Amino acid sequence: VQLVESGGGSVQPGASLRLSCAVSQYIFGSYCVAWFRQAPGKEREGVAAACISRGSLTFYADDVKGRFSISRDDAENTVHLQMNSLKPEDTGVYFCAAAVHAIHPLKVIEYNHWGQGTQVTVS
């Protein structure tokens, strides 16, 4: 199982970024795929999740609702995170993660497959 993130970078407040996570075909069709972020000195936290196993539902952390959007590209086995109106507090390393099933899709403990992360800096 492999997850590979891309699309991070350094932007000014108010700008947009689009992160991508390439997911092994073996798992893509039936898993929850989520984005987490970890700021320096803080715990990793869930940002957004998309779960086929939950009827293709999407889930968002309260502080990104209306600004971030998660989407799945089934043809490319890729999950995207569109981030708009970025704020300095969005800064951190963003990780893509996958799980067979997640009762709480934004909880770290639910996921057992992780990518290496991509840095997002807003300043």
Side-chain angles (χ1 to χ4, degrees), residues 18-19 21 23-35 49-60 69-82 97-100 111:
R18 189 190 195 206
L19 305 183
C21 175
V23 183
S24 297
Q25 185 174 4
Y26 176 73
I27 67 170
F28 188 74
S30 59
Y31 274 47
C32 283
V33 182
W35 286 96
C51 298
I52 290 293
S53 58
R54 296 285 296 268
S56 298
L57 292 177
T58 55
F59 305 85
Y60 296 95
S69 177
I70 188 171
S71 61
R72 302 171 66 117
D73 183 337
D74 290 353
E76 298 293 332
N77 293 342
T78 301
V79 175
H80 302 289
L81 183 68
Q82 178 66 43
V100 175
Y111 293 85

Side-chain angles (χ1 to χ4, degrees), residues 2-123:
Q2 290 186 324
L3 300 94
V4 180
E5 303 95 337
S6 61
S10 296
V11 297
Q12 294 183 342
S16 298
L17 278 175
R18 189 190 195 206
L19 305 183
S20 297
C21 175
V23 183
S24 297
Q25 185 174 4
Y26 176 73
I27 67 170
F28 188 74
S30 59
Y31 274 47
C32 283
V33 182
W35 286 96
F36 291 79
R37 69 184 176 199
Q38 188 164 18
K42 294 187 176 181
E43 294 185 352
R44 194 170 298 186
E45 60 179 2
V47 175
C51 298
I52 290 293
S53 58
R54 296 285 296 268
S56 298
L57 292 177
T58 55
F59 305 85
Y60 296 95
D62 287 343
D63 61 342
V64 306
K65 286 180 180 177
R67 299 190 298 124
F68 290 12
S69 177
I70 188 171
S71 61
R72 302 171 66 117
D73 183 337
D74 290 353
E76 298 293 332
N77 293 342
T78 301
V79 175
H80 302 289
L81 183 68
Q82 178 66 43
M83 305 186 295
N84 299 326
S85 302
L86 282 162
K87 304 175 181 180
E89 50 264 44
D90 294 319
T91 294
V93 179
Y94 281 69
F95 297 89
C96 179
V100 175
H101 178 66
I103 297 175
H104 304 289
L106 296 180
K107 296 292 186 182
V108 170
I109 196 171
E110 299 275 10
Y111 293 85
N112 56 351
H113 302 291
W114 292 86
Q116 293 300 309
T118 184
Q119 177 70 44
V120 172
T121 303
V122 185
S123 64

